[in-house]
Amino acid sequence: MIEDGLFASFLIEPPCTSFSAAACPSVRSYTQPLGFDRKEEKTLHCNTLAFRTFVLLKVGRRYKRPCGCEQPRRSKMMWTHFWETLRRLGFRDNIVASCQFGSIHKKEFDFLLYLFDCIEAKCPGGHSHVKIEGRWTKGSATYHPELGLYLAKAVRRAVLRVRRLENDEVEVLGLESLVV
């Protein structure tokens, strides 16, 4: 579907709970981000979701689609060599704190993006946050509406810019090597 142009862009948020810094019991570490026992069911399931995400992002890059992945800022997924490979291929990390969009939580996300303008919005400090625990956990798992709008506008800008670039491309006649 990406290759056929059915998606102008995409953002992926793989539900990889075992990559969480708060996962208990922990099945992976920052030094072993793919897991202590890669055959263990929970580890294997989350690794599979992560690998599929990385493949989709590489395909998005190949077909010049604005695309990206979101993970909590402390996710162990960002310590995998796959994440680092995407950085070397032109993807950029953007840290976004939900408190900058009206959330009572500081919850920070890392958006690994390709063909997007910088969307970074870090917490500058100087205000308080409600700790994410107990009854606050579920509500912190979704984007604040203002953050959702911010992301939608970023996607729109990226898609429009790519479309403008595609329309401005010069038609190649096969004689470009003759021009001196």
Side-chain angles (χ1 to χ4, degrees):
M1 290 192 292
I2 296 167
E3 180 180 357
D4 291 339
L6 298 177
F7 294 123
S9 67
F10 60 93
L11 291 174
I12 304 172
E13 180 187 346
C16 297
T17 54
S18 76
F19 282 99
S20 171
C24 188
S26 182
V27 296
R28 58 185 85 236
S29 69
Y30 290 106
T31 57
Q32 290 182 285
L34 294 177
F36 304 128
D37 177 4
R38 292 168 136 192
K39 294 178 184 174
E40 189 270 324
E41 184 179 345
K42 182 178 176 180
T43 306
L44 180 61
H45 176 70
C46 287
N47 282 350
T48 300
L49 293 174
F51 297 156
R52 288 177 181 168
T53 296
F54 296 137
V55 168
L56 289 171
L57 292 172
K58 285 188 78 176
V59 172
R61 178 185 174 273
R62 180 183 311 140
Y63 290 97
K64 296 180 176 67
R65 302 281 186 269
C67 58
C69 174
E70 179 265 301
Q71 283 288 288
R73 186 172 185 193
R74 303 203 190 300
S75 172
K76 294 169 186 164
M77 187 184 297
M78 293 178 293
W79 291 76
T80 64
H81 66 279
F82 303 107
W83 194 280
E84 183 55 39
T85 297
L86 290 172
R87 286 181 182 132
R88 285 194 304 272
L89 292 173
F91 285 77
R92 298 288 172 250
D93 290 288
N94 290 257
I95 305 302
V96 176
S98 57
C99 65
Q100 296 305 290
F101 301 93
S103 174
I104 60 173
H105 307 290
K106 181 182 179 181
K107 190 166 185 178
E108 293 177 300
F109 303 98
D110 188 321
F111 287 89
L112 184 67
L113 302 173
Y114 181 72
L115 294 178
F116 277 77
D117 294 331
C118 179
I119 65 165
E120 201 150 277
K122 293 181 178 180
C123 176
H127 59 271
S128 60
H129 305 102
V130 173
K131 188 174 182 180
I132 301 172
E133 63 183 3
R135 68 184 180 122
W136 299 109
T137 305
K138 187 176 182 181
S140 74
T142 58
Y143 293 142
H144 189 278
E146 292 299 317
L147 175 54
L149 181 61
Y150 181 72
L151 294 172
K153 288 178 179 179
V155 169
R156 182 176 188 271
R157 282 191 310 272
V159 168
L160 291 175
R161 186 179 60 255
V162 167
R163 285 184 179 161
R164 273 193 312 273
L165 291 172
E166 288 173 351
N167 291 334
D168 289 344
E169 286 182 0
V170 177
E171 184 177 330
V172 177
L173 301 175
L175 303 175
E176 61 279 356
S177 62
L178 300 176
V179 179
V180 179

